[in-house]
Amino acid sequence: MAQSSETNKNETSVGAIAVKVDDLTVAYNYKPVLWDIDLEIPEGVLMAIVGPNGAGKSTLIKSILGILKPIAGSVEIFGKPYEKQRQIVAYVPQKGSVDWDFPTTALDVVTMGTYGSLGWIKRPGQKEKKAALEALEKVGMLPFKNRQISQLSGGQQQRIFLARALVQNASIYFMDEPFQGVDATTEIAIINILKELRKAGKTVIVVHHDLQTVPEYFDWVTFLNVKKIATGPVKDIFNDDNLTKTYGINYKVSIQE
Amino acid sequence: MDITEYIKLVFTDYTLRTITLGTAILGAVTGMLGSFAVLRKQSLLGDAISHAALPGIAIAFLITGAKDSNVLLLGALVSGLIGTFWIKGIISKTHLKSDTALGLILSLFFGFGMLLLTFIQKQPNANQAGLDKYLFGQAATLVESDVWLMAIVTGACLFVLLLFWKEFKILLFDADYTKTLGFNTKFIDVLITTFIVLAIVLGLQTVGVVLMSAMLLAPAAAARQWTNSLSVMVFLAAIFGAFSGVFGTAISASQNNLSTGPVIVLVAGIFVLVSFIFSPNRGLLFKQLRFIKNRRDLELQKTLSFMFHIAETHENISHPHTIKILNNFQGFTKGTLQKLVEKNYVKLDGTMWSLTDEGFKTASNLYNQQTSNNE
């Protein structure tokens, strides 16, 4: 049981390593949710993390970001421990993880993205407000800036979350199911923003559910099911073999090239 | 006793002034902090804390043998804090849900406290009588120094609230995200929780263990109805809490000295009731009225568009038709026809009706409006 997963040597080295995960093991109870994950994510990729329910996709992101405490393992961001690199890492949690009836406005939520660089006690000023407004504009939510957040649709709430991360002006973005429960229009808007981020040289890591869209949206993919099954360029490793290994049943997706 | 006489008394009578001030300050501080408890979905926390404080009071009495209220409150504070962080420990270390953890600590501590109280009552110490006032509170026992203590804690609480406002807000909304920004969420959490425990302990003497949680929840729940801004909510909750204290004291003082704590809680309850019904956006009354109005408008629009389709068949849109044809349409009543006439969309002439130009224009726009509204 205690042997490490076979490492996949498909990883072609593209530039610097943005995220390096070593021997990461996480357990909630007795059963490990993540077992001995080694992962190297090159800078500048748009990567999907795929796997069945309970595969540990959200857990992986949360333990990389220090929200969950792993049993073992280490995380490096551009060669330094994560704790020292927080400023260049942004996080988009699952939309369902917060109470949207919270008494606040869209602009206010997006402004929260500036709190990290502000540090303790200091209040957001004009500069922070301007950055928040720009981010709202980018996600097409500027007309809704003064809306109470409960009066936004699911897709709009997702865009607000995205805008909050954009404000952080990070180098690496972790997103937990940003396409969950959004309509087609919003999905296109979001993927366009993600592609823009990649174009600007940012690294974007996305927990993703819809296997059909993986080849179209992403250039890098990690298959996860408690262990890491495979990681690498979509065109090399997004195939029926890895899908079957990950999902356990015979999986066939037609991959449009 | 009429109102002016009572107000005069508040300013001149030592006891009444002390109680009024004390309950007002208490209401304000619990209202402020209660907003945080309510928004964190920790409404029951207040109940657990106040019950958990009881054994502390008993133990403090057993150790010192005196009924000095500050010493007893210190005991309450210690055991309240122990209970609270025990609850947090249970939630984070085990798979028990928070309501289970709260219920467990609440009843365990309260049970232990009651046990100690009965033990104390059997002791041959002349001092022992009156400890049970902490169960339901007795505002009449407030003295000036108690009020000063409340004022100091409230001042400190206000200062910390303003200082860490941004941190409190983001922690309440999204704790995980706050962590990724590099904030020490545990510190913020301990800070909020400690002040909640402090406020509750301060209120035990006045309102008592059993009812104290209402002071935390009621003003906050009422305030939430009136606003969509956190700062306004906290401010309103403080005001509602303070007024509950003042009115509650007034009612209890002028009505044969009804027990003050319960009256204050009832007044706070009235604030909640009024807010839930009459607040403009979230209130039940206006929600229902908006709902009814919306239905009426839709009914009217449907009737108008039905008429529009009939009128469309003629070249002259103001060509008269008999009212009888309209009976085929389900939503049609004499009332809706009358309304349409009032709005100048339809003209009546005996048993005949015809669309006006304005009615025609409105009706032809309806379809476009409906589709654009749905976006």
Side-chain angles (χ1 to χ4, degrees):
Chain A
M1 164 91 211
Q3 51 190 208
S4 68
S5 62
E6 61 268 53
T7 40
N8 194 305
K9 287 293 170 200
N10 267 340
E11 299 159 30
T12 40
S13 147
V14 186
I17 298 300
V19 183
K20 187 166 185 287
V21 177
D22 270 320
D23 301 328
L24 189 75
T25 299
V26 182
Y28 288 132
N29 227 340
Y30 302 102
K31 218 175 140 205
V33 184
L34 289 175
W35 183 256
D36 207 13
I37 305 288
D38 290 312
L39 192 60
E40 287 187 356
I41 305 168
E43 185 181 11
V45 298
L46 179 48
M47 184 181 98
I49 301 176
V50 296
N53 290 333
K57 303 184 293 292
S58 297
T59 308
L60 176 61
I61 288 191
K62 284 186 181 171
S63 17
I64 290 175
L65 295 171
I67 296 166
L68 291 173
K69 213 175 158 216
I71 286 175
S74 67
V75 176
E76 281 182 2
I77 305 289
F78 287 116
K80 288 188 196 141
Y82 164 72
E83 288 74 24
K84 293 214 166 91
Q85 301 278 54
R86 281 182 203 277
Q87 295 292 340
I88 58 165
V89 180
Y91 173 48
V92 179
Q94 272 185 34
K95 186 161 63 66
S97 66
V98 302
D99 172 17
W100 288 93
D101 196 34
F102 193 84
T104 191
T105 60
L107 176 62
D108 209 28
V109 171
V110 177
T111 310
M112 288 178 186
T114 66
Y115 286 10
S117 58
L118 278 171
W120 288 91
I121 296 169
K122 230 175 120 194
R123 299 285 182 90
Q126 283 306 314
K127 189 178 133 220
E128 284 72 25
K129 197 184 164 190
K130 201 174 143 247
L133 288 172
E134 275 168 20
L136 274 169
E137 168 114 68
K138 243 181 248 171
V139 299
M141 287 293 293
L142 200 54
F144 301 91
K145 66 178 160 97
N146 291 324
R147 275 275 177 98
Q148 148 72 17
I149 50 173
S150 66
Q151 282 152 21
L152 299 170
S153 71
Q156 291 172 330
Q157 291 172 345
Q158 191 66 62
R159 289 193 212 195
I160 292 298
F161 257 16
L162 191 60
R164 185 176 68 171
L166 291 178
V167 167
Q168 291 180 250
N169 199 14
S171 306
I172 303 175
Y173 290 83
F174 287 92
M175 307 188 180
D176 203 343
E177 303 203 24
F179 300 112
Q180 194 188 42
V182 305
D183 59 22
T185 329
T186 308
E187 179 154 340
I188 292 166
I190 293 176
I191 192 63
N192 284 338
I193 291 167
L194 300 196
K195 284 179 172 168
E196 246 170 63
L197 285 172
R198 178 180 54 188
K199 215 187 274 171
K202 319 272 189 185
T203 311
V204 185
I205 295 134
V206 179
V207 171
H208 194 58
H209 254 302
D210 182 11
L211 293 171
Q212 304 291 340
T213 53
V214 168
E216 187 190 335
Y217 290 173
F218 300 95
D219 56 9
W220 213 264
V221 64
T222 293
F223 289 94
L224 190 74
N225 191 353
V226 184
K227 295 175 182 183
K228 182 190 74 181
I229 310 294
T231 182
V234 170
K235 61 177 174 1
D236 296 343
I237 69 158
F238 193 71
N239 51 38
D240 291 344
D241 183 35
N242 278 327
L243 284 166
T244 308
K245 266 193 215 156
T246 309
Y247 287 86
I249 48 167
N250 237 338
Y251 230 100
K252 289 261 187 288
V253 267
S254 49
I255 301 168
Q256 316 104 310
E257 284 286 325
Chain B
M1 183 166 24
D2 67 16
I3 293 173
T4 44
E5 201 181 326
Y6 176 78
I7 293 173
K8 214 181 278 169
L9 211 57
V10 169
F11 286 100
T12 50
D13 182 76
Y14 170 82
T15 317
L16 196 56
R17 189 180 58 205
T18 311
I19 298 174
T20 306
L21 254 177
T23 52
I25 293 173
L26 180 71
V29 71
T30 50
M32 277 192 298
L33 292 164
S35 306
F36 292 159
V38 166
L39 289 176
R40 295 187 85 182
K41 314 245 176 294
Q42 290 181 331
S43 303
L44 268 177
L45 185 67
D47 216 16
I49 294 170
S50 62
H51 283 76
L54 191 61
I57 293 170
I59 291 170
F61 176 79
L62 281 173
I63 293 172
T64 62
K67 246 180 2 196
D68 176 44
S69 72
N70 287 338
V71 173
L72 297 186
L73 286 187
L74 193 67
L77 180 65
V78 171
S79 92
L81 282 173
I82 292 174
T84 310
F85 289 103
W86 219 339
I87 291 167
K88 296 207 176 255
I90 291 176
I91 294 169
S92 69
K93 294 280 180 317
T94 73
H95 280 267
L96 290 178
K97 290 272 180 307
S98 66
D99 56 344
T100 317
L102 286 167
L104 201 67
I105 294 299
L106 182 154
S107 34
L108 275 179
F109 274 64
F110 188 63
F112 184 52
M114 286 306 286
L115 186 114
L116 289 174
L117 278 192
T118 44
F119 172 74
I120 289 168
Q121 265 160 19
K122 297 234 163 67
Q123 288 214 318
N125 182 338
N127 247 334
Q128 34 114 329
L131 267 193
D132 53 347
K133 78 171 188 219
Y134 283 96
L135 282 180
F136 296 104
Q138 200 170 2
T141 59
L142 279 177
V143 291
E144 211 177 297
S145 64
D146 296 328
V147 177
W148 272 113
L149 186 64
M150 284 180 188
I152 290 167
V153 171
T154 307
C157 174
L158 202 61
F159 176 73
V160 169
L161 214 68
L162 288 173
L163 197 64
F164 294 108
W165 178 257
K166 159 175 130 261
E167 285 77 11
F168 285 167
K169 182 163 72 177
I170 191 172
L171 181 80
L172 290 178
F173 178 62
D174 194 345
D176 280 355
Y177 181 73
T178 311
K179 221 173 182 177
T180 69
L181 291 181
F183 288 102
N184 185 341
T185 49
K186 232 179 217 153
F187 172 74
I188 310 172
D189 183 38
V190 167
L191 207 58
I192 296 181
T193 312
T194 306
F195 270 103
I196 291 179
V197 175
L198 255 175
I200 285 177
V201 166
L202 278 178
L204 292 181
Q205 191 184 351
T206 317
V207 179
V209 163
V210 179
L211 290 174
M212 196 49 216
S213 71
M215 288 298 290
L216 205 65
L217 304 185
R224 179 67 188 93
Q225 291 298 106
W226 298 93
T227 176
N228 279 327
S229 148
L230 179 62
S231 44
V232 178
M233 177 181 169
V234 172
F235 179 73
L236 276 182
I239 299 284
F240 289 166
F243 275 112
S244 304
V246 173
F247 290 148
T249 307
I251 293 169
S252 105
S254 53
Q255 305 295 326
N256 274 334
N257 283 323
L258 287 172
S259 184
T260 314
V263 178
I264 292 175
V265 168
L266 282 179
V267 173
I270 291 170
F271 272 110
V272 174
L273 193 70
V274 170
S275 303
F276 271 76
I277 297 175
F278 295 106
S279 65
N281 280 318
R282 300 166 70 95
L284 292 174
L285 181 67
F286 289 101
K287 240 187 206 164
Q288 194 61 31
L289 285 181
R290 271 198 302 276
F291 178 70
I292 292 170
K293 185 179 176 304
N294 213 359
R295 278 194 76 105
R296 288 244 172 91
D297 286 352
L298 280 176
E299 245 171 46
L300 220 59
Q301 288 175 4
K302 283 302 278 184
T303 313
L304 188 64
S305 75
F306 181 70
M307 293 164 121
F308 171 74
H309 285 302
I310 299 169
E312 237 183 355
T313 55
H314 292 266
E315 223 156 89
N316 177 11
I317 51 116
S318 52
H319 181 91
H321 302 268
T322 68
I323 294 178
K324 261 188 204 152
I325 356 176
L326 294 177
N327 291 338
N328 293 332
F329 183 64
Q330 232 191 347
F332 172 75
T333 59
K334 273 200 177 130
T336 46
L337 193 64
Q338 203 53 50
K339 276 241 179 68
L340 287 170
V341 172
E342 274 165 32
K343 290 196 170 195
N344 207 17
Y345 291 161
V346 172
K347 259 202 302 239
L348 278 187
D349 185 15
T351 57
M352 306 295 272
W353 63 268
S354 59
L355 274 183
T356 63
D357 281 345
E358 206 188 331
F360 185 80
K361 239 197 291 175
T362 314
S364 56
N365 279 334
L366 271 179
Y367 179 75
N368 298 334
Q369 258 177 36
Q370 279 304 324
T371 44
S372 67
N373 274 350
N374 283 342
E375 282 209 358

